[in-house]
Amino acid sequence: MTGKLLFDGDVVVSGGGLAGLTLALALHRAGVKVAVIDALPLDTQADIAFDGRASALAYTSWRMLEQIGVAKHLKGQAQRIEDILVVDGRPLDGLKPGGPGVDNLHFDRREIHPREEGEPLGYMVENRHTRIAAAKCAHETGLPVFAPRRALSMQAHSGHGVLELDGGDTLQASLIVACDGKMSRLREGAGIRSLGRRYGQSAIVLTVEHELPHEGVAYEYFMPGGPFAILPLTGNRSSLVWTEKDAPARAIAALDPQGFQEALEARFGDFLGEVKPVSQVHVYPLGLMLAERFTAERLALAGDAARTIHPIAGQGFNLGIRDAAALCEVIVDALRAGLDPGSQAALTRYERWRKTDSAALALGTDAFNLLFSNDNTALRHARGLGLSLTNAIPVARRFFMRTAGGETGDLPRLLKGEALSL
């Protein structure tokens, strides 16, 4: 039985996760004829059981969410990050930014945004709330969403691409964008190879409640098994990203409630008072993946389909947003000039814009994890010296803050807070 052509337009985004929906909303608001498809209903992805993670949104990423209408739906759900404290060692009682103790590196947002109500270093938002906000925007703006529908394959033709769905129906557009995750079916179907490896580490992710306020401070402790991050959420809550080798991570997550509480207290300390879990415990295996190419005929990769990196720098979702901002600008510029947004020229511009930045950050986080996730005495002295020296040089601190905020390089207009339209 022959299926139906459900959509014919400029762009089809395959994957309605955070990166895919952000891209689709940006294009839709700019006046581009776009549709998004996902294997799951958008409501399913907003359930806390689906994804217990929270994401650190760089301040440039937040500007884009404001421009496309997502940020207004996150009122009361986004926690400003005012300071970041990087420490080589375990949490210590009473440790505060700039305080005495072990080697540490303190990032203070006032160094780059000095006004009292200026931009923070970023915002912490639970992924489910970001998905709910994006889904509300999709509904409000009439963005065409086909879900639950599964994309099976893509066919590239001289003037368009065709996405073939389960059941035989198709979607057609000048450009197909693969935002279908690290195991991307479309990337594999296009013959794009990927490079990478497993780290032998897993992230234990959960939300905790603590007695004392975090004051908007994010903590990153480097331990032999991997980083232990305490990331501020609204209220007296924090998101933990507790990295361990695979076997210990599974063992910790499998502990009974009392055993897990004891392990948590031993690692967390009591510098924020009493602490207790208030969510499910999720375990995510960690690895590096970088696509050899970000484009193929009538196809562009974005988000986790293009690369996945270690969460050590909290940049995973931000890279997806930067992909979305750059690709949206490329597509809008092409259409405004009366050109084909899926042409080789447009795709080459996008790949050059995003691939170097992605490769540099992927390899940088890989090296950083190797340097810090061990207990080698010589390396401990070297990294402690590095943290102390960086902390003592204001220009170095400001450079790292602006880099983490996504404000270096050729910045897309959406990340500057500027609107795009045809």
Side-chain angles (χ1 to χ4, degrees), residues 195-218:
L195 310 171
R197 64 189 181 89
R198 281 288 314 278
Y199 285 121
Q201 296 173 314
S202 292
I204 305 167
V205 178
L206 69 151
T207 300
V208 298
E209 190 173 80
H210 36 77
E211 183 181 4
L212 302 176
H214 48 57
E215 298 176 347
V217 181

Side-chain angles (χ1 to χ4, degrees), residues 148-392:
R149 295 299 301 268
R150 187 177 299 276
L152 300 181
S153 62
M154 177 207 160
Q155 300 297 324
H157 300 279
S158 59
H160 61 274
V162 175
L163 198 61
E164 300 175 348
L165 313 183
D166 52 352
D169 295 333
T170 57
L171 305 175
Q172 180 174 297
S174 298
L175 176 65
I176 309 296
V177 183
C179 288
D180 51 347
K182 62 182 179 181
M183 305 300 291
S184 172
R185 181 190 291 263
L186 297 187
R187 184 187 70 231
E188 296 298 321
I192 299 175
R193 296 184 299 178
S194 60
L195 310 171
R197 64 189 181 89
R198 281 288 314 278
Y199 285 121
Q201 296 173 314
S202 292
I204 305 167
V205 178
L206 69 151
T207 300
V208 298
E209 190 173 80
H210 36 77
E211 183 181 4
L212 302 176
H214 48 57
E215 298 176 347
V217 181
Y219 300 87
E220 182 112 31
Y221 299 92
F222 291 112
M223 311 295 291
F228 182 77
I230 303 172
L231 308 169
L233 296 175
T234 53
N236 281 13
R237 299 182 308 136
S238 293
S239 174
L240 297 192
V241 182
W242 178 355
T243 307
E244 294 282 359
K245 302 299 184 184
D246 285 333
R250 290 193 296 268
I252 291 168
L255 291 170
D256 61 32
Q258 182 178 347
F260 188 85
Q261 179 69 32
E262 291 173 357
L264 173 63
E265 290 174 357
R267 178 54 56 92
F268 197 101
D270 63 358
F271 75 105
L272 288 177
E274 293 183 8
V275 60
K276 64 179 181 180
V278 291
S279 76
Q280 290 180 277
V281 176
H282 299 260
V283 179
Y284 298 97
L286 303 178
L288 169 71
M289 187 282 293
L290 181 66
E292 204 169 53
R293 294 180 287 124
F294 280 18
T295 64
E297 187 179 3
R298 296 287 161 187
L299 178 69
L301 308 183
D304 285 352
R307 108 293 290 143
T308 58
I309 65 173
H310 198 285
I312 196 167
Q315 290 295 306
F317 181 33
N318 292 302
L319 281 173
I321 289 185
R322 288 174 215 166
D323 292 342
L327 186 53
C328 184
E329 190 163 324
V330 167
I331 291 167
V332 169
D333 285 352
L335 289 171
R336 288 178 66 183
L339 303 175
D340 179 357
S343 67
Q344 188 57 51
L347 291 173
T348 298
R349 181 188 173 199
Y350 168 67
E351 182 166 54
R352 286 176 177 169
W353 200 346
R354 293 301 305 137
K355 190 175 179 184
T356 300
D357 173 52
S358 292
L361 193 52
L363 296 176
T365 55
D366 185 63
F368 211 66
N369 183 55
L370 287 173
L371 175 64
F372 279 89
S373 294
N374 63 74
D375 208 23
N376 181 281
T377 302
L379 286 178
R380 286 187 65 188
H381 287 306
R383 67 198 187 211
L385 179 61
L387 289 176
S388 298
L389 285 174
T390 304
N391 196 54

